[in-house]
Amino acid sequence: MVGVSTPLITFLTDYGTQEPYAAEVKGVIKTICPQAEVLDLTHLVPPGDIHAGAFLLGMAWSVFPRGTVHLAVVDPGVGTARLPIVLVTPDGYFVGPDNGLCTYIVRSALPHAMHHDQHPFLQPVRIPLPDGFSAYALTEARWLRHPVSRTFHGRDIFGPCAAWLARGVPPHELGPPLTDVLCLWVPEPHWHEAVLEGLVLHIDRFGNLLTNIHAHHLDGVDAQQVVIEVGGLAWRGLAETYADAEWTAHLESHGWLEIARRGASAAQALGAHVGSRVRLRLTGR
């Protein structure tokens, strides 16, 4: 594995911590690749919430060494016709169901490709693979755990294939190549005259709102000449820290514009949810 001396697998699911599902997958991984280090991103993705899993995976993957295997299983369609896949990028491998979990991996390689008026928010759309990416269906029986359950592909398909990749098996040996993957439509924010219109993408455990407005959308914008409008509330100026005011809008550590209320849940106070509108209005001096 390029860039990783000890095989490294990250692990994200909606399995929770009450049942032993995540541990079973780790047991299979360790049986195949005992030297692999398995790091939990989270197992507390809301049950069946593919977009939440995709967002959290997209948030975290880039801090890991090049060549890391990223195992992500949020799979309400387990046992159906949806394909198990590995997405191969210049930076790592992404193993999981082809149901949109790789949305932010693909989106980051196709800047400005998701226009706001082309598809509804979070509509599943097949996206051609970006340059430098490849993908393969995980269908070659010799790399799977048998018998393959219809309800636990994390243990019987995804975990084993992640482990074999960590051991150095070339991804093209795991199954036939694909030309596209399923993504959820996460549109770019758009300017309408002097207003930048965006959407809430994620609400974290503190009730902060992370939006689809990113640092690069604000290049050249005077932070003090912006009025933030969300949930019927409006205030002036972008902040630098949570402590600047009761309500703040600032660029959080991954570059997303975040809406926060000091010491309280912004989402609860505003009645906001994933998909809620956020507007940044430019004003004169």
Side-chain angles (χ1 to χ4, degrees):
M1 296 176 65
V2 177
V4 181
S5 54
T6 298
L8 180 60
I9 299 173
T10 73
F11 193 18
L12 174 148
T13 75
D14 60 351
Y15 290 164
T17 56
Q18 182 172 331
E19 285 80 25
Y21 304 139
E24 288 186 63
V25 176
K26 291 181 185 180
V28 171
I29 290 171
K30 284 291 191 177
T31 300
I32 295 169
C33 188
Q35 68 273 34
E37 182 177 5
V38 184
L39 296 179
D40 296 303
L41 293 184
T42 182
H43 298 297
L44 297 177
V45 175
D49 192 335
I50 297 168
H51 177 253
F55 185 86
L56 295 172
L57 177 64
M59 174 184 285
W61 74 268
S62 64
V63 303
F64 292 93
R66 189 167 182 250
T68 296
V69 177
H70 302 279
L71 172 59
V73 188
V74 180
D75 196 15
V78 61
T80 68
R82 67 93 189 92
L83 282 174
I85 66 167
V86 55
L87 175 68
V88 183
T89 79
D91 298 299
Y93 307 94
F94 296 85
V95 175
D98 184 25
N99 63 3
L101 275 175
C102 288
T103 293
Y104 288 89
I105 314 307
V106 173
R107 189 176 184 271
S108 66
L110 296 170
H112 312 300
M114 293 190 178
H115 304 294
H116 76 277
D117 56 354
Q118 194 167 348
H119 295 287
F121 180 50
L122 299 188
Q123 178 175 315
V125 177
R126 300 213 67 84
I127 301 292
L129 293 172
D131 290 343
F133 283 40
S134 58
Y136 303 88
L138 306 177
T139 56
E140 181 60 47
R142 61 183 165 141
W143 307 115
L144 311 183
R145 180 182 182 272
H146 295 280
V148 175
S149 164
R150 292 294 297 272
T151 62
F152 199 176
H153 286 184
R155 181 193 65 193
D156 299 337
I157 298 178
F158 302 124
C161 288
W164 286 118
L165 285 166
R167 277 192 59 169
V169 171
H172 67 265
E173 292 192 13
L174 302 179
L178 305 171
T179 58
D180 56 30
V181 293
L182 192 76
C183 291
L184 305 177
W185 197 260
V186 180
E188 289 288 312
H190 62 284
W191 285 100
H192 178 68
E193 297 181 348
V195 176
L196 181 61
E197 297 193 2
L199 298 168
V200 174
L201 296 183
H202 182 72
I203 299 172
D204 71 11
R205 66 186 301 266
F206 303 103
N208 301 326
L209 313 179
L210 281 74
T211 76
N212 66 337
I213 298 171
H214 203 264
H216 68 269
H217 297 117
L218 300 176
D219 287 346
V221 171
D222 185 336
Q224 299 311 308
Q225 301 303 315
V226 173
V227 172
I228 300 91
E229 300 175 349
V230 55
L233 191 67
W235 68 94
R236 187 185 186 95
L238 299 180
E240 294 186 357
T241 73
Y242 296 106
D244 284 3
E246 178 184 5
W247 287 94
T248 57
H250 54 269
L251 295 174
E252 55 84 59
S253 61
H254 304 87
W256 301 106
L257 183 76
E258 179 180 54
I259 310 296
R261 187 182 187 190
R262 187 171 56 201
S265 168
Q268 184 175 1
L270 296 171
H273 53 83
V274 171
S276 289
R277 299 283 180 181
V278 176
R279 293 178 175 86
L280 270 60
R281 180 164 48 85
L282 303 184
T283 64
R285 291 188 177 275

